[in-house]
């Protein structure tokens, strides 16, 4: 791979040359000029404002790997707390070609296609059970995906003729969810996790997988988790089939479910 | 001052109809009490401990009477009778029950007059204490006046009450006037109140009497330091609504979230349970001089805010009349609404302004609680900060009273220490910058703002007429509010609702009603 692109410290002498030779594989944060590596940080240190705090902030930024740390703002926000805004330069680029990402392996389908695909592969409606599990009382995400009204103009799963939705609401114990999945012969189980304090969601999500396995249901359902802190990679790592993060529309989930069920039937 | 020209007849009609809707609910449910109300009476009688297994003795007593089929009489007379028969205190009686030593349902009857007198006596200390705490607040508000409005309201939610106390004090020192400690997720569905100081919670800190006290003490200390009284808030909702109201009253909380329909719609708590508990808890709040905060902002998280104006306003009218019936004065009724219209809509800021002004104007003496944008905030904290800035402007411009400070990191995590600092700073800036702007502007007659406000008001009247026609229970069943449908016979906590027997007597209810009739509390504004 190519050499690391470094800027001179003086903007006047470094700018034009480097900016004209963008390297497509090695990237640094982009501030004012290509690959100048400039990042902006803000953080609080539990130190009273003053010269010591400011130096501590600069050192903190150096420990982040930032060169030429500049403290732009020093704000005392409590007896022993100081807030900083700072700028610095990163010098170690990311090599794009070496990155591995967990990419969802499905494409976006429209409502009619989704309904047809499900009917063709299952010969019936697909049963989808959804719940916000454990202590989680937030149904906002779950409702946005399941309720007919949907989210941002995108109709919820209830609006799909080929999906039969059972919305169990919030604070559903994993045991209750598994029992319901068995009762209605669920094809898919959707779990919503909003509360992520102290990683409480991770234990809860793992517990659900274990329960489904113990009940012999794990392979019978498409298991999906969604929430503001969920990524597809995390979901897969936890033993789920897919994970959906912020900005997910009902159509994304429906597209996935239809294609995953079709894949399983065809295999 | 910014003023909308509104049709007085329409406003009057909205009030009349809401009065009617809420009266019917209260009348229909007046023969009912709940296990939560009875546990509250037990707490008034001084039953505050827990068993070795951590079960509150108030629950032990009430479960005992439920088991013996005597709960219909209320706990007060059986407890008073047992105190007289056995020569024990209420706490002593509840401990004996917890050890399985006595059955208070079949003790010898000590005479109705004697028992009634005793029942009043055992609850008297708590009632006195609540009045004393109220008087204490009034003194503190005079000594440590809060001079600026809107009051800046921020939330702590660490799970650890000791940490909350530190963060609450810090936020107050940064300019916050009101500190709310968010409850642990799921507490609303517990049919008991946890006991003691707690250091672990999920997305919040358990509401316990000990935690209330710890937080109150910390904020009192900070109030004296700042020369400005810092108000404390907690959540009076869920299955233990009246018990929490009692605890808040005793520990001098200043505000409690208490919405007439929130539990029904968003927690699937039984309708009858909610309305009955809510009315009783509001009587306690009224007696304690506590400001309630209603939760119409929540509607805007499930339905589109642009369309939801009439359901928010209709709910405010009903919350207002429910509150008045429970004895709350206008100064104690913090009706809620929020800045949640999709910012990508053209003129969204004008529509927000119209709604904020409408609510402000319709309930002129209520401390309106204005909630910040949340739904349309994503990961871009900078844009969120801009959105909050507009919210801050509308709030100051329209004279809102309780301003929940929006956080730039709303969609990401519970606020970091610097998030709170930046957000308070932005709100305080606007409070200064636009202080008299609203007094120097006028609303254009027949313009965009007035047209919007008028159309919401007209639709609110239609909605209220519809609710009035079918009754509130049926309207909720049809999903009129927040698009959520609930059955009268469904929901959690229904088994805890019972019909009062002809022997039923509650010295607490009696005292609250007497107190709220105005004789013992005196008139005049209770807030600064």
């Amino acid at each position: 791979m190519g050499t690391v692109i470094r800027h001179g410290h003086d903007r006047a002498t470094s700018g034009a040359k480097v900016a004209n030779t963008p390297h497509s594989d090695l990237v640094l944060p982009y501030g004012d000029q290509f690959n100048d590596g400039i990042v902006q940080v803000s953080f609080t240190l539990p130190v009273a404002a003053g010269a010591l705090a400011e130096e501590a902030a600069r050192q903190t930024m150096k420990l982040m790997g930032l060169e030429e740390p500049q403290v732009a703002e020093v704000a005392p926000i409590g007896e022993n707390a100081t807030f900083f805004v700072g700028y610095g330069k990163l010098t170690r680029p990311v090599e794009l070609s070496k990155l591995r990402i967990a990419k969802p392996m499905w494409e976006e389908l429209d409502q009619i296609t989704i309904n047809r695909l499900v009917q063709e592969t299952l010969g019936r409606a697909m049963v989808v059970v959804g719940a916000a599990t454990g202590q989680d009382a937030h149904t906002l995400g779950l409702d946005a995906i399941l309720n007919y009204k949907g989210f941002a103009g995108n109709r919820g799963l209830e609006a799909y003729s080929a999906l039969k939705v059972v919305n169990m609401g919030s604070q559903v114990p994993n045991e209750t969810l598994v029992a319901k999945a068995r009762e209605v012969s669920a094809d898919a189980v959707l779990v919503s996790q909003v509360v992520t304090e102290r990683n409480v969601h991770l234990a809860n999500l793992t517990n659900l997988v274990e329960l489904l396995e113990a009940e012999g249901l794990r392979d019978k359902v498409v298991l999906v988790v969604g929430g503001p802190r969920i990524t597809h990679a995390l979901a897969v790592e936890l033993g789920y089939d897919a994970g959906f993060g912020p900005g997910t529309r009902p159509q994304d989930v429906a597209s996935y479910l239809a294609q995953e069920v079709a894949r399983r039937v065809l295999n | 001052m910014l003023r909308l020209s509104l049709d007085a007849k329409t406003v009057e009609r909205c009030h009349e109809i809401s009065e009617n809707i809420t009266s019917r609910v209260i009348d229909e449910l007046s023969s009912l009490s709940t296990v939560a109300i009875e546990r509250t009476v037990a707490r008034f009688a001084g039953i505050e401990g827990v068993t070795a297994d951590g079960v509150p003795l108030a629950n032990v007593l009430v479960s005992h009477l439920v088991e013996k089929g005597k709960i219909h009489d209320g706990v007060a007379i059986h407890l008073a009778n047992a105190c007289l028969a056995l020569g024990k205190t209420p706490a002593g009686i509840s401990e004996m029950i917890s050890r399985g030593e006595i059955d208070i349902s079949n003790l010898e009857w000590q005479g109705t007059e004697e028992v009634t007198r005793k029942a009043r006596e055992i609850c008297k200390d708590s009632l006195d204490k609540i009045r004393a705490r109220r008087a204490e607040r009034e003194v503190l508000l005079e000594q440590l006046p809060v001079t600026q409005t809107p009051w800046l309201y921020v939330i702590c939610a660490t799970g650890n009450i000791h940490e909350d106390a530190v963060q609450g004090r810090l936020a107050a020192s940064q300019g916050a006037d009101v500190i709310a400690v968010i409850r642990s997720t799921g507490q609303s569905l517990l049919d008991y109140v946890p006991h003691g100081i707690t250091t672990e919670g999920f997305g919040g800190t358990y509401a316990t009497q000990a935690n209330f006290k710890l937080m109150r003490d910390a904020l009192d200390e900070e109030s004296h330091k700042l020369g400005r009284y810092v108000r404390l808030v907690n959540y009076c909702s869920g299955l233990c609504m009246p018990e929490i109201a009692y605890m808040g009253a005793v520990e001098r909380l200043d505000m409690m979230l208490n919405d007439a329909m929130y539990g029904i719609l968003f927690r699937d708590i039984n309708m009858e349970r909610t309305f009955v508990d809510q009315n009783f808890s509001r009587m306690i709040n009224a007696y304690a001089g506590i400001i309630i905060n209603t939760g119409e902002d929540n509607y805007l998280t499930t339905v589109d805010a642009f369309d939801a104006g009439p359901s928010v306003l209709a709910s405010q009218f009903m919350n207002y009349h429910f509150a008045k019936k429970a004895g709350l004065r206008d100064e104690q009724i913090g009706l809620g609404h929020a800045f949640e219209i999709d910012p990508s809509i053209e003129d969204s800021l004008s529509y927000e302004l119209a709604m904020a002004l409408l609510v402000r104007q319709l309930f002129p003496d209520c401390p309106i609680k204005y909630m910040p944008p949340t739904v349309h905030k994503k990961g871009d904290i900078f844009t969120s900060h801009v959105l909050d800035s507009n919210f801050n402007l509308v709030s100051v411009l329209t004279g809102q009273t309780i301003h929940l400070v929006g956080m730039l990191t709303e969609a990401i995590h519970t606020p970091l220490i610097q998030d709170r600092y930046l957000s308070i700073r932005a709100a305080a800036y606007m409070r200064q910058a636009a202080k008299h702007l609203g007094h120097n502007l006028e609303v254009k007659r027949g313009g965009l703002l007035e047209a919007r406000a008028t159309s919401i008001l007209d639709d609110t009247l239609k909605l209220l007429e519809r609710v009035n026609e079918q009754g509130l229970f049926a309207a909720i069943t049809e999903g009129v509010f927040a698009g959520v449908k609930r059955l009268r016979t469904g929901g959690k906590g229904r088994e805890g609702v019972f019909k009062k027997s002809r022997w039923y007597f509650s010295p607490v209810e009696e005292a609250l009603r007497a107190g709220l009739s105005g004789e013992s509390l005196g008139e005049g504004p209770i807030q600064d």
Side-chain angles (χ1 to χ4, degrees):
Chain A
M1 304 262 94
T3 51
V4 175
I5 296 165
R6 302 251 344 228
H7 276 193
H9 292 168
D10 183 350
R11 166 190 172 134
T13 60
S14 66
K17 241 187 292 172
V18 183
N20 285 335
T21 55
H23 196 292
S24 59
D25 193 40
L26 292 177
V27 293
L28 279 162
Y30 191 159
D32 178 39
Q33 288 154 3
F34 184 76
N35 272 1
D36 56 14
I38 293 179
V39 298
Q40 174 190 48
V41 293
S42 63
F43 54 91
T44 298
L45 290 177
V47 184
L52 181 66
E54 210 172 316
E55 186 51 31
R58 255 188 295 277
Q59 287 303 320
T60 301
M61 288 167 68
K62 278 192 177 163
L63 290 170
M64 293 178 195
L66 295 176
E67 291 199 352
E68 299 171 54
Q70 282 179 30
V71 176
E73 169 76 0
V74 183
I77 64 172
E79 263 171 44
N80 270 310
T82 309
F83 173 61
F84 301 93
V85 176
Y87 289 86
K89 290 181 175 178
L90 280 173
T91 55
R92 297 176 59 194
V94 168
E95 290 187 54
L96 296 181
S97 60
K98 289 199 171 165
L99 302 180
R100 292 262 171 281
I101 53 166
K103 222 189 218 155
M105 301 300 283
W106 62 87
E107 50 183 309
E108 189 183 313
L109 305 176
D110 62 34
Q111 196 167 337
I112 294 165
T113 313
I114 291 167
N115 286 333
R116 203 175 51 219
L117 183 59
V118 171
Q119 286 296 353
E120 278 171 11
T121 48
L122 290 179
R124 58 172 171 82
M126 176 177 182
V127 180
V128 180
V129 177
T133 57
Q135 291 287 316
D136 214 315
H138 299 80
T139 55
L140 183 58
L142 185 70
D143 289 339
I145 299 296
L146 296 184
N147 282 359
Y148 189 94
K149 182 170 170 63
F151 159 66
N154 199 267
R155 292 271 177 238
L157 300 196
E158 282 180 356
Y160 290 73
S161 61
L163 301 179
K164 186 169 175 282
V165 175
V166 181
N167 184 347
M168 298 180 69
S170 65
Q171 296 183 322
V172 177
N174 283 333
E175 290 78 3
T176 312
L177 173 58
V178 172
K180 178 60 86 177
R182 179 180 290 287
E183 180 197 326
V184 300
S185 304
D187 298 299
V189 172
L190 267 53
V191 178
S192 169
Q193 293 279 275
V194 172
V195 172
T196 53
E197 249 85 6
R198 292 159 221 266
N199 286 332
V200 60
H201 64 304
L202 297 181
N204 190 42
L205 287 171
T206 311
N207 172 255
L208 177 62
V209 173
E210 286 165 359
L211 275 176
L212 285 168
E213 277 168 358
E215 293 277 319
L217 286 175
R218 177 63 193 88
D219 297 335
K220 297 196 173 104
V221 297
V222 181
L223 185 59
V224 173
V225 56
R229 301 279 286 272
I230 303 295
T231 61
H232 182 61
L234 173 71
V236 171
E237 194 186 318
L238 293 172
Y240 286 66
D241 295 312
F244 290 91
T248 301
R249 302 165 313 148
Q251 193 182 349
D252 302 326
V253 180
S255 296
Y256 166 73
L257 291 177
Q259 284 165 79
E260 178 61 16
V261 164
R263 190 187 65 79
R264 291 184 183 199
V265 169
L266 293 175
N267 284 348
Chain B
M1 188 64 193
L2 288 180
R3 271 198 84 75
L4 298 158
S5 165
L6 300 171
D7 181 42
K9 279 224 169 67
T10 310
V11 176
E12 198 183 315
R13 189 79 191 116
C14 285
H15 275 295
E16 276 169 18
I17 295 176
S18 310
E19 216 287 321
N20 189 42
I21 294 169
T22 52
S23 286
R24 278 160 63 198
V25 172
I26 299 282
D27 290 349
E28 208 174 315
L29 301 179
S30 63
S31 62
L32 304 178
S33 181
T34 73
V35 289
I37 289 175
E38 298 310 315
R39 293 195 300 255
T40 309
V41 174
R43 288 182 185 275
F44 266 91
I47 298 176
E48 290 187 343
V50 290
T51 66
D53 306 331
V55 180
L57 290 169
N59 286 62
V60 170
L61 171 66
V62 169
S63 300
H64 173 73
L65 287 173
V66 169
E67 224 170 84
K68 302 295 174 192
K70 295 286 186 183
I71 195 66
H72 304 268
D73 306 328
V75 294
I77 57 169
H78 289 289
L79 185 60
N81 189 52
C83 288
L84 289 171
L86 303 171
K88 300 269 180 193
T89 62
I93 298 290
S94 64
E95 278 160 25
M96 289 174 80
I97 295 172
S98 78
R99 292 192 297 264
E101 291 168 7
I102 43 166
D103 171 359
I104 65 166
S105 69
N106 60 8
L107 296 172
E108 195 183 332
W109 185 244
Q110 305 293 311
T112 302
E113 204 172 306
E114 268 301 285
V115 167
T116 308
R117 191 192 54 74
K118 184 70 180 172
R120 288 191 182 112
E121 182 194 307
I122 57 181
C123 293
K124 188 175 175 299
D125 282 358
S126 292
L127 289 158
D128 289 347
K129 187 167 184 186
I130 291 171
R131 281 202 309 280
R133 298 310 307 255
R134 177 181 179 147
E136 194 176 77
R137 181 192 303 113
E138 283 162 23
V139 170
L140 283 167
L141 276 167
E142 264 180 38
Q143 287 173 347
L144 310 168
V146 180
T147 52
Q148 305 221 58
T149 52
W151 304 333
L152 305 184
Y153 173 127
V154 301
I155 286 167
C156 292
T158 70
N160 179 337
I161 192 66
H162 299 293
E163 191 77 18
D164 288 337
V166 173
Q167 295 218 8
R169 289 188 66 161
L170 190 60
S173 75
Q174 291 167 357
D177 301 301
V178 183
I179 307 289
V181 179
I182 272 205
R183 289 202 300 188
S184 183
T185 296
Q187 185 175 353
S188 60
L189 298 182
L190 297 178
D191 215 342
Y192 66 94
V193 183
H195 186 76
I197 283 173
T198 66
T199 56
E200 286 284 334
F202 301 98
T205 308
Y206 283 103
T208 72
Q209 193 168 343
N211 286 349
F212 285 2
K213 179 170 170 23
L214 192 147
M215 198 69 194
R216 179 70 274 168
D217 288 347
L219 292 186
D220 275 353
E221 216 176 300
E222 194 65 31
S223 300
H224 282 287
K225 201 166 145 196
L226 298 169
R228 163 170 61 85
Y229 184 66
V230 182
R231 289 180 166 88
L232 177 60
V233 188
N234 212 289
Y235 293 69
C236 188
S237 57
L239 290 171
C240 296
M241 214 188 288
E243 284 175 280
I244 299 273
Y246 161 80
M247 293 175 182
V250 168
E251 301 303 340
R252 195 182 9 97
L253 267 63
D254 305 284
M255 290 187 198
M256 301 222 100
L257 274 77
N258 182 300
D259 188 88
M261 295 190 287
Y262 177 81
I264 300 168
L265 300 174
F266 297 98
R267 290 290 179 264
D268 195 14
I269 295 174
N270 176 260
M271 282 188 215
E272 294 186 347
R273 173 76 178 257
T274 300
F275 286 125
V276 174
D277 280 354
Q278 178 257 138
N279 188 47
F280 193 75
S281 64
R282 283 185 175 184
M283 285 167 62
I284 299 173
N285 289 333
Y287 193 78
I290 283 172
I291 297 174
I292 62 160
N293 293 181
T294 64
E296 280 84 0
D297 53 288
N298 291 287
Y299 298 0
L300 305 177
T301 61
T302 55
V303 290
D304 190 89
F306 184 79
D307 305 324
S311 73
V312 165
L313 196 53
S315 172
Q316 288 173 331
F317 272 111
M318 288 189 298
N319 253 315
Y320 176 81
H321 285 281
F322 272 128
K324 294 297 276 186
K325 280 181 207 321
L328 287 154
R329 302 180 200 192
D330 281 19
E331 294 86 355
Q332 290 176 280
I333 306 171
L335 298 171
H337 65 131
F339 186 103
E340 290 283 22
I341 295 174
D342 184 345
S344 68
I345 294 176
E346 189 175 68
D347 288 320
S348 65
L349 187 61
S350 303
Y351 298 135
E352 296 287 10
L353 186 59
M355 184 68 186
L357 201 50
L358 178 63
V359 174
R360 175 68 285 173
Q361 202 173 315
L362 289 175
F363 305 97
D365 297 319
C366 296
I368 302 295
K369 184 186 189 190
Y370 200 26
M371 309 281 282
T374 58
V375 174
H376 298 285
K377 281 177 176 165
K378 303 250 156 49
D380 176 1
I381 59 173
F382 306 99
T383 300
S384 295
H385 211 39
V386 171
L387 207 53
D388 280 336
S389 190
N390 284 346
F391 159 70
N392 294 340
L393 175 61
V394 171
S395 179
V396 176
L397 210 50
T398 57
Q400 309 290 316
T401 309
I402 306 165
H403 178 96
L404 202 153
V405 177
M407 291 290 147
L408 63 166
T409 52
E410 169 69 36
I412 306 167
H413 48 228
T414 47
L416 303 184
I417 191 168
Q418 64 254 32
D419 301 340
R420 226 177 267 128
Y421 159 76
L422 290 166
S423 300
I424 290 172
R425 193 176 173 196
Y429 154 71
M430 196 58 83
R431 191 166 65 179
Q432 281 300 109
K435 192 164 191 160
H436 298 109
L437 186 57
H439 301 274
N440 289 281
L441 294 175
E442 280 174 12
V443 175
K444 185 179 171 189
R445 291 289 86 96
L448 181 66
L449 301 185
E450 232 167 58
R452 170 76 180 166
T454 302
S455 116
I456 291 174
L457 183 61
D458 290 348
D459 288 347
T460 300
L461 179 57
K462 283 182 208 142
L463 182 59
L464 285 168
E465 277 167 345
R466 185 178 142 201
V467 173
N468 192 33
E469 218 163 88
Q470 55 189 172
L472 184 54
F473 293 107
I476 295 174
T477 306
E478 280 194 5
V480 166
F481 299 99
V484 181
K485 297 177 184 175
R486 301 296 186 198
L487 293 175
R488 180 162 180 174
T489 52
K492 302 174 186 84
R494 182 168 182 246
E495 66 289 346
V497 182
F498 62 86
K499 207 166 165 51
K500 294 184 267 192
S501 75
R502 54 183 295 221
W503 311 110
Y504 184 90
F505 174 66
S506 166
V508 176
E509 190 181 334
E510 179 188 71
L512 293 179
R513 285 199 193 285
L516 296 171
S517 66
E519 289 155 36
S520 59
L521 288 172
E523 287 299 332
I526 44 146
Q527 295 302 328
D528 53 326

